[in-house]
Amino acid sequence: MDEYAIGVLTNIGLFSFVALSAWLLLVAGELSFGQQAFFGVGAYAAGIGTAMLGWPLPLAALAAMALGAAAAALVGLPTLRLRGLYFTMATLAAAEMLRILFELFHWQIALGDERIGPDGTQGFRGIRWMLERGIEPLDFLAMVWILLIGVMVIFLRVENSRLGATLRALGHDPELARSAGIDVDRLKLGVVAAGGALAALGGALFAHHNTYIEPRNFDIMLGVHSLAYGLIGGLGTAFGPLLGVVLDIGVLEATRSLQGYRMIVFGGLVAVLLVFRPRGLLDERVVHWIRSRA
Amino acid sequence: MIDFLQNTLDGLALGSSYALLALGFTLIFGVLRRANLAYGPAIMLGCYCATWAYLKTGIGLLFLALIAVAGSTLAGVYVERLCFAPHRKGAAAAAMVASFALWMQFEELATLALPRHLYAFPALYAGGPLSLGRLTLRVESLVMLVAAILVCAALWRILYRSRFGTAVRAVIDSPAAAELSGISVSAVSLQVFALASAIGGLAGFLIVSGNEQVTPMLGMWSTLKGMLAMMLGGLGSLPGAIAGGVALGLREAHSQWYLGPQLRDFIAYLLLFVLLAVRPPWMNTRSAY
Amino acid sequence: MLRVVDLVTAYGKIEALKGLSLEVREGSITCVLGPNGAGKTTLMLTIAGVLRPRQGAIEFRGEPIAALSPHAIVARGVALVPENRLVFAHMSVLENLHAGAYQRKDPYENDLEKILARFPRLKERASQDAGTLSGGEQQMLAVARALMSRPRLLLMDEPSLGLAPLVVEEIFRIIAELHRDGTSILLVEQNAHMALKVAQHFYLIEQGRVTFSGSPGSLAEDELIRRAYLGSARA
Ligand SMILES: Nc1ncnc2c1ncn2[C@@H]1O[C@H](COP(=O)(O)OP(=O)(O)OP(=O)(O)O)[C@@H](O)[C@H]1O
Ligand SMILES: [Mg+2]
């Protein structure tokens, strides 16, 4: 495989994590514009872990996930009862606060003859755990996708479990779910925290793939994109957000002949697609149909 | 003390531009109960049309204003038909994401026409600022303030003293009842979108001619500021939008002075977050029209 | 003037109307009776264009209206007073009435005066927000607003629901007056006793179908009332 294809496939894998985390909230009935912040928290945390504290990547990634879950729960707690646009705006506000905190975050240590660590808007360079361990891009690609497949297995199992049905019930009508005896607040907090952890895992990998991160990587554009992936791909199955990412990154990269026009074409196509399929390509009906065939 | 007064004056001017943006946003939100993410990018596109016309022909400010308003309005109508008319029942997420898709489209369209990151825009007023004792006031700010007041007055007349206004408020109150009263919700939505985008276009023109420059960032900036001011003012209330815009402007001018731009924005988002979480009574009104 | 033929309207998989046909003659009061859940509201909403029928035809003055949206149906002269009243809660009584006259191009000040004279309680509260009116007053406002569009056919869905007996009488007095002025009326009522007094023709609906129709007196009133409230024995 050439380097370019490896890069595209790696990016598809990386952004699938944050897309899945936005999709998870979408299925539970809420639109979050804030998952990019937990992606960022994961990136910074894991970067600090390996590059500054000398931890191995797995440990740093676990710490990043814990921190991502904690940050998401912290944002989630005061906003549990918010619905619709109120919740969406609260997540956006929280995410922008976190991004500004990244901009204000200066903490560097001397390593050899250079200073390593987050340097505000200048970003955080030198996250070179991969290079130092001699891990090839192809190995990294495999690592990303193995993790992603692991996450997908969990998602698909949950989908067919009672928890999955409960989640969909919550997304369908929270009041009804509440009156059916579901502890809506706890469930929502769990979803939010799991989404935070998932996004953070993606961020941790992203930081090590890029070796350089800056606050701008985690702005609202990424958040809205993540949400859009799930909605384009479909709300019916966890493959939906993956399909969304593949369509965006994969197809757009493949059609570089459209250079300069691709968002014009793609943006229009997405809007038209949503007219006919407001719950995405793989919506509940399609998924049901496929299942009944299988 | 003099700093405080000067900051207040600057904040008022800034706030009146936010108020204009929030008015348009609120009109749309009131009628559709949907957030239009492409609101700011439509304004940006209108301003880019004006910039393009200026670079090609060098025509005067008045024409540029007309082009900005007309361009924003057309873009707004396009957004309504493609993103909101098909999703009138349910599918709020789809409408919002579709409007985001068009945002991307508008940004690329703008950079395709004018690829540099920054373009100069003719100044609204070439002379220096007015001085009031030890205070100074830019003429552009004064124009913005006056424009905001005029737009509010005109909007008030339209909404409360015209047949169209009755229809708009009826749709805001209850789309179902409006249809049963013989009001076409679809037509009213389209007209409100056009009106809101025109107000946004005017705001955009005043902002870029005041700043004497235009960038694609204007799109995201307008959406965020408009939305922020709308939410501060209580989501869906026109007087609230004006109050929210002015409050945001005042707060920004003061915290900019004392804290710098990053903390200024941080505090804006913190305030919004806390307001949303606590939900003071005025933020619960669905109605205040 | 209104012909409904073989109408089927469904909510998802549940068919609430299963091939219902009825007719309203010009200048008449036609009454629809039936137990709860029979499909009366569904029928009214379908005629008014709020619900799309899955099958069947609706003709008003010879023109098919089944595919039109509600505002277009109002423009053709059919106005609905909905079951849940649905006034504009945050607009004044007067503004509610102006909204009702929205698609009229002619000056309607005279009509406004007449209608306010007919509903003196509304006149007293002309500048009050509709949401602050009592239930009975809101019902009157809903009727008055529908009248502002100067309908040829007025659809009324249980206008007496939840009102005190005196107010119910007032509503029926107004219905009789409107009829005298030449408005055709299709009336859904649980209050069969009152309804049969004003109606020239009635339909009994059970489970989405017409099970009986005729003029008042063609079926013993107590038998009719029993079926209207309880449904027939075979139901
Ligand atoms: N929005 C809806 N979704 C699903 N089913 C509905 C809906 N509205 C009504 N139904 C069902 O359709 C049937 C007819 O309802 P409808 O409201 O037309 O009855 P109705 O005759 O007006 O009763 P009532 O006398 O209680 O007003 C009922 O079985 C009801 O449960
Ligand atoms: Mg009913």
Side-chain angles (χ1 to χ4, degrees), chain C residues 35-42 44 83 157-158 161 188 190:
Chain C
N36 293 121
K40 307 181 296 293
T41 298
T42 307
M44 297 300 246
E83 187 177 33
D157 194 353
E158 302 207 33
L161 191 71
V188 165
Q190 289 280 356

Side-chain angles (χ1 to χ4, degrees), chain C residues 22-85:
Chain C
L22 60 72
E23 196 168 339
V24 178
R25 299 226 180 86
E26 181 108 44
S28 74
I29 298 184
T30 303
C31 181
V32 172
L33 302 170
N36 293 121
K40 307 181 296 293
T41 298
T42 307
L43 169 66
M44 297 300 246
L45 292 177
T46 311
I47 298 174
V50 177
L51 298 175
R52 283 276 148 87
R54 184 164 287 179
Q55 221 186 85
I58 307 172
E59 257 179 33
F60 181 66
R61 292 157 58 88
E63 185 195 2
I65 58 168
L68 299 178
S69 49
H71 70 265
I73 290 174
V74 175
R76 280 163 180 73
V78 181
L80 170 68
V81 182
E83 187 177 33
N84 46 10
R85 286 158 201 166

Side-chain angles (χ1 to χ4, degrees), chain A residues 29-216:
Chain A
E30 294 296 353
L31 264 73
S32 167
F33 278 180
Q35 299 311 105
Q36 73 278 16
F38 311 124
F39 192 73
V41 167
Y44 271 89
I48 289 171
T50 59
M52 297 171 72
L53 306 178
W55 295 355
L57 179 57
L59 177 63
L62 278 180
M65 286 174 73
L67 210 60
L74 205 65
V75 172
L77 258 181
T79 55
L80 275 182
R81 292 291 172 108
L82 299 183
R83 303 272 308 139
L85 191 62
Y86 288 104
F87 180 84
T88 307
M89 286 303 112
T91 54
L92 170 64
E96 284 292 282
M97 279 194 277
L98 276 167
R99 188 184 55 78
I100 295 171
L101 287 181
F102 296 150
E103 285 183 0
L104 297 169
F105 186 27
H106 297 269
W107 178 36
Q108 292 188 297
I109 55 173
L111 269 183
D113 52 0
E114 63 176 338
R115 297 183 62 75
I116 295 237
D119 186 17
T121 49
Q122 296 300 308
F124 178 0
R125 53 187 86 245
I127 308 172
R128 285 186 297 250
W129 194 81
M130 297 296 165
L131 295 174
E132 286 158 5
R133 296 288 173 295
I135 295 173
E136 295 292 320
L138 198 58
D139 300 335
F140 186 71
L141 173 67
M143 202 170 100
V144 167
W145 277 88
I146 287 169
L147 280 172
L148 186 61
I149 289 168
V151 168
M152 286 300 292
V153 167
I154 297 175
F155 263 82
L156 295 175
R157 291 201 72 137
V158 167
E159 228 165 66
N160 293 320
S161 70
R162 261 196 44 203
L163 179 59
T166 315
L167 265 179
R168 292 210 179 260
L170 173 66
H172 198 70
D173 187 341
E175 289 319 309
L176 201 67
R178 201 184 293 277
S179 64
I182 296 171
D183 187 346
V184 167
D185 289 356
R186 228 185 67 191
L187 186 60
K188 228 173 121 179
L189 198 60
V191 166
V192 162
L198 196 56
L201 175 59
L205 297 170
F206 171 81
H208 287 83
H209 176 59
N210 275 27
T211 72
Y212 167 65
I213 52 177
E214 57 180 338
R216 273 201 314 171

Side-chain angles (χ1 to χ4, degrees), chain C residues 160-215:
Chain C
S160 71
L161 191 71
L163 302 185
L166 269 179
V167 187
V168 173
E169 271 180 31
E170 201 173 333
I171 296 258
F172 273 95
R173 185 176 52 74
I174 289 162
I175 291 175
E177 274 175 34
L178 291 174
H179 175 234
R180 216 175 309 127
D181 295 351
T183 310
S184 315
I185 297 172
L186 179 60
L187 173 69
V188 165
E189 251 313 330
Q190 289 280 356
N191 194 333
H193 183 67
M194 293 289 273
L196 291 178
K197 264 195 213 157
V198 294
Q200 283 87 53
H201 202 85
F202 74 89
Y203 289 86
L204 183 63
I205 298 186
E206 292 170 78
Q207 298 190 350
R209 289 195 184 87
V210 173
T211 53
F212 193 86
S213 75
S215 51

